[in-house]
Amino acid sequence: MSDFLPRFAQAFATLDKHNLHLLDSLYSKDIAFADPLHNIQGLTALQRYFADMYSNVSQLRFDFYGFDQVAEGEGYLRWKMSFCHPRLANGKVIRVEGCSHLMWRDKVYRHRDYFDVGAMLYEHLPVLGRVIIWLKRRMG
């Protein structure tokens, strides 16, 4: 198995709003990126998405702790994301665990993130947050 996943994670963890040109070294021009809230096609659109994301948060960090290659050019990264958004949780740090399914040749051409959108977003909105937390307790 290759060391692609740890190298990708290390480079990805260094991203911030000042070095998004590095996306070009991680992703192919025809990248297909998806998460529970977005479906993005192409490197230009992905760069725009990351620029918007980094401009809306005061802090964003990914801590990678799992590197599971399942086949040649395919694997999963497990991570914890920490971020601060001025309109969520009164600007306090929010932490969300997730994983990324990656497919690559020399660069990643498919990237799909899996995470709990409620834990990331909805639970931290004033009225909706209380309802989501209440529902999770009732269901759990």
Side-chain angles (χ1 to χ4, degrees):
M1 295 288 173
S2 75
D3 66 342
F4 183 89
L5 289 171
R7 285 188 295 109
F8 178 91
Q10 183 178 22
F12 192 94
T14 69
L15 292 174
D16 63 31
K17 64 183 167 189
H18 303 293
N19 65 4
L20 293 179
H21 62 278
L22 296 176
L23 288 170
D24 187 41
S25 66
L26 298 174
Y27 293 102
S28 65
K29 297 241 183 278
D30 65 342
I31 179 65
F33 176 94
D35 68 22
L37 299 168
H38 305 91
N39 197 340
I40 297 163
Q41 301 295 318
L43 186 58
T44 302
L46 185 67
Q47 288 168 325
R48 206 169 27 251
Y49 165 71
F50 273 83
D52 288 346
M53 179 175 64
Y54 280 98
S55 70
N56 288 320
V57 295
S58 58
Q59 172 188 326
L60 176 61
R61 189 179 83 233
F62 285 87
D63 295 305
F64 293 93
Y65 61 87
F67 311 91
D68 306 308
Q69 186 168 341
V70 295
E72 188 61 40
E74 181 177 5
Y76 292 87
L77 291 173
R78 286 170 283 147
W79 44 262
K80 184 178 287 186
M81 175 177 60
S82 305
F83 70 99
C84 297
H85 190 289
R87 293 191 302 258
L88 296 174
N90 295 319
K92 294 186 184 114
V93 175
I94 297 170
R95 291 180 181 82
V96 179
E97 291 198 45
C99 76
S100 300
H101 175 238
L102 303 178
M103 297 178 77
W104 66 88
R105 293 181 204 64
D106 57 327
K107 297 179 183 180
V108 171
Y109 64 91
R110 297 282 179 275
H111 180 151
R112 178 161 193 117
D113 283 345
Y114 298 92
F115 57 85
D116 181 349
V117 177
M120 183 186 115
L121 179 64
Y122 304 136
E123 290 175 18
H124 305 287
L125 296 172
V127 175
L128 187 57
R130 289 191 291 276
V131 172
I132 300 266
I133 290 168
W134 178 82
L135 280 171
K136 278 186 163 183
R137 280 193 206 122
R138 296 280 314 229
M139 306 288 281

